Amino acid sequence: MSEVYAVRRTRLRECCNAAGSAAALVSRPANVRYLAGAAPEGAVLLLGRTEDLLVCAGPPDDRSPHNRPDEALRLHLVPGIGGDPAVAATGLAVGQGVDSLAVEEHHLTVARHREIRSVAPGLRLTGIAGAVEQLRVVKDEEEISCLRIGAEIADQALGELLESILVGRTERHLALELERRLVDHGADGPAFPTSVATGPNAGRPGHRPTDRRVEEGDFLSVCLGATYRGYRCEIGRTFVIGTAPADWQIELYDLVFSAQRAGRESLVPGTACRDVDRAARQVLDSAGYAEALPVITGHGVGLEIHEDPQLTPAAMGKLDACVPVTVEPGVHLPGRGGVRIDDTLVVRPEADGGPELLTITTKELLAL
Amino acid sequence: MSEVYAVRRTRLRECCNAAGSAAALVSRPANVRYLAGAAPEGAVLLLGRTEDLLVCAGPPDDRSPHNRPDEALRLHLVPGIGGDPAVAATGLAVGQGVDSLAVEEHHLTVARHREIRSVAPGLRLTGIAGAVEQLRVVKDEEEISCLRIGAEIADQALGELLESILVGRTERHLALELERRLVDHGADGPAFPTSVATGPNAGRPGHRPTDRRVEEGDFLSVCLGATYRGYRCEIGRTFVIGTAPADWQIELYDLVFSAQRAGRESLVPGTACRDVDRAARQVLDSAGYAEALPVITGHGVGLEIHEDPQLTPAAMGKLDACVPVTVEPGVHLPGRGGVRIDDTLVVRPEADGGPELLTITTKELLAL
């Protein structure tokens, strides 16, 4: 595994050198983990001129074999109490004879940036805005395999919940139960706070579970994900509670299903991100739901649950192969509820069978 | 409740005016919540020249009566997708004729700060480093009552766990079970990731639960807390598994208990923070454990689990009445385990009975 991290660091070093900086200071935790194999709390990575260093506030917790710093990196522990690893790393960079340091201006606060400047007044500070995030967009097969296992875990947790009795239980209890099951099946933890939405809450994007209880006739929408070895996936499904869905429920469900399918089927390398959004959105638009739609149809996933690319009407850029994204259109009707269907898929060329669906729980409308 | 927020905003406005700024932009979520009653995701608070505004990326989720924006504040929704409320608020400040805006430089990133500057090039940007955090240190009785209820919930969750069978269960399962019980008893959620540490892990500060199972003869240390109406408390206890603790376990426990009691008893208004730390630390130091001690003996709690004051050897400042703090010394012996005892207390004058203990679970050494 160590070589993977070294290759990633070499790619970043090339970006920095091309931009005129001999060294870079990476502070955003997911970026540190991507380049160093682990991100102990508060740690920063110095891509130095003569040596790369992981600078930590305390000894890294290396009991998990999947969250250990790359052994090719030298560890530097900041001595004393409350020392800022970013400041310490800047001092080490100066010690290496670096005269220009690229920092993550979208992560460092103004106050930390000023402190760095004050300990190294002669150092030129430049930005590497989003450089590591861009490297992270296309995943290798090892990363995709972590996402695949995470998706399997989420499918299992969801499947078990569906076998239990739901009527009378609260959104909060169902969400907690799902999170417990994720961990039972081997997840590091939930990928994001689990959303369980019933009745009028169903279909609301990012709904936080309340004490509302599941009732007969409700729509029930659930969105959850597992973190596995740091990688985060997402699945969302909507069900009906009771023996038979009402006509309006079937209609709405079929519509969102068609929109989500249109989005999924457009996941081809080279497609513009905005075209994936449009494929899904126009199905709902043309049925008269333009107002009820969320602003985003999907997004990249990986070490963070929201990564590039964004699938929105204004998104720039095209999809590449091996980019995992969610496709998650939905409609929420205030006071009535709604439907949301969400999968994690990997963009693959048609020659390889087209988009790879990671979250395989059925998308038939189940009456529970 | 609305008046409380208005009074807090007036106090901040006075700070800003004294520092020469007519307006302030508050972006750190806990600070926004403190001043506005709620902090919808990404929202910022503009303390304007003519009007205060809560600027949000989307409509606030106001289903919980205890997390609703102060009705005296006008809401401003940023139109479109992905707009930054901080940038929008800056434009609104300029519209109010503001020429100097104080921002939270310890929270805003360099990139956001630059964006704010670019939309309002004529505006002078100054800093309000830690001003809201300082206002937050001394709590009112309403805030303390939230902490008290949170502590009761944590006590209940811990008490129930102690009645169950522990041997053979993993740290991860015990931690999940505690978190479920916190929510069952009415917490918004855990105040921080629950720590359960067994055997050689026991007593490690901030230990993340592993798959290690509880065994006879183990030390078991548990640290958890509830969030109630946004306020976060903390309790930590150490137990022995089996019928009778070993001599070294009793000795170590008694020592940490004495250190923790010394820390608690020094919580008097006017005491220097470093003296509280010293009171606890010197008990352990003089028993030869100087090397095994964590760097911090305790800290303030409130809307965040780590707030000012810090109880460390280098801390500046004195304790005031109505400041809630943790006192949590511990000793961890590598390979053997250790003991940690952690309470949340409120500093009170002796005339009012001295420090108020919020977390009342027994600190006798229980053999479970």
Side-chain angles (χ1 to χ4, degrees), chain A residues 63 81 105-111 113-114 172-173 176 183-184 187-188 201 204 207-208 210 295 313, chain B residues 63 81 105-111 113-114 172-173 176 183-184 187-188 201 204 207-208 210 295 313:
Chain A
R63 279 159 303 147
I81 299 165
E105 296 182 334
H106 59 304
H107 179 259
L108 280 184
T109 66
V110 176
H113 194 261
R114 182 178 300 139
R172 300 220 293 178
H173 273 97
L176 280 167
V183 174
D184 278 352
D188 308 342
N201 299 329
R204 292 181 57 166
H207 173 78
R208 293 288 184 91
T210 70
V295 292
Chain B
R63 278 158 303 147
I81 300 165
E105 296 183 335
H106 59 304
H107 178 258
L108 281 184
T109 66
V110 175
H113 193 262
R114 182 179 299 138
R172 301 220 295 177
H173 272 96
L176 281 165
V183 174
D184 277 353
D188 310 341
N201 299 330
R204 291 182 56 168
H207 173 78
R208 294 287 185 91
T210 70
V295 291

Side-chain angles (χ1 to χ4, degrees), chain B residues 99-178:
Chain B
D99 59 359
S100 167
L101 182 66
V103 301
E104 297 198 298
E105 296 183 335
H106 59 304
H107 178 258
L108 281 184
T109 66
V110 175
R112 284 180 91 188
H113 193 262
R114 182 179 299 138
E115 220 184 317
I116 287 172
R117 247 187 353 229
S118 75
V119 296
L123 190 65
R124 194 167 61 90
L125 294 181
T126 63
I128 36 165
V132 188
E133 285 83 352
Q134 280 315 302
L135 295 179
R136 284 166 47 197
V137 169
V138 174
K139 270 73 177 175
D140 64 31
E141 289 303 323
E142 183 78 27
E143 294 180 281
I144 292 173
S145 131
C146 291
L147 287 167
R148 197 180 288 120
I149 296 170
E152 254 177 58
I153 292 172
D155 278 324
Q156 278 179 304
L158 183 56
E160 289 170 2
L161 188 81
L162 299 186
E163 287 169 16
S164 65
I165 289 175
L166 299 170
V167 172
R169 296 172 72 193
T170 69
E171 292 175 356
R172 301 220 295 177
H173 272 96
L174 294 175
L176 281 165
E177 163 121 8
L178 282 165

Side-chain angles (χ1 to χ4, degrees), chain A residues 9-10 14 18 31 35 82 134 158 164 176 199 237 282 289 295 303 313 350:
Chain A
R9 291 195 298 270
T10 299
E14 286 163 2
N31 290 345
L35 298 168
Q134 281 315 302
L158 183 56
S164 64
L176 280 167
R237 292 291 185 268
Q282 71 187 5
Y289 289 112
V295 292
L303 289 170
E350 277 187 52

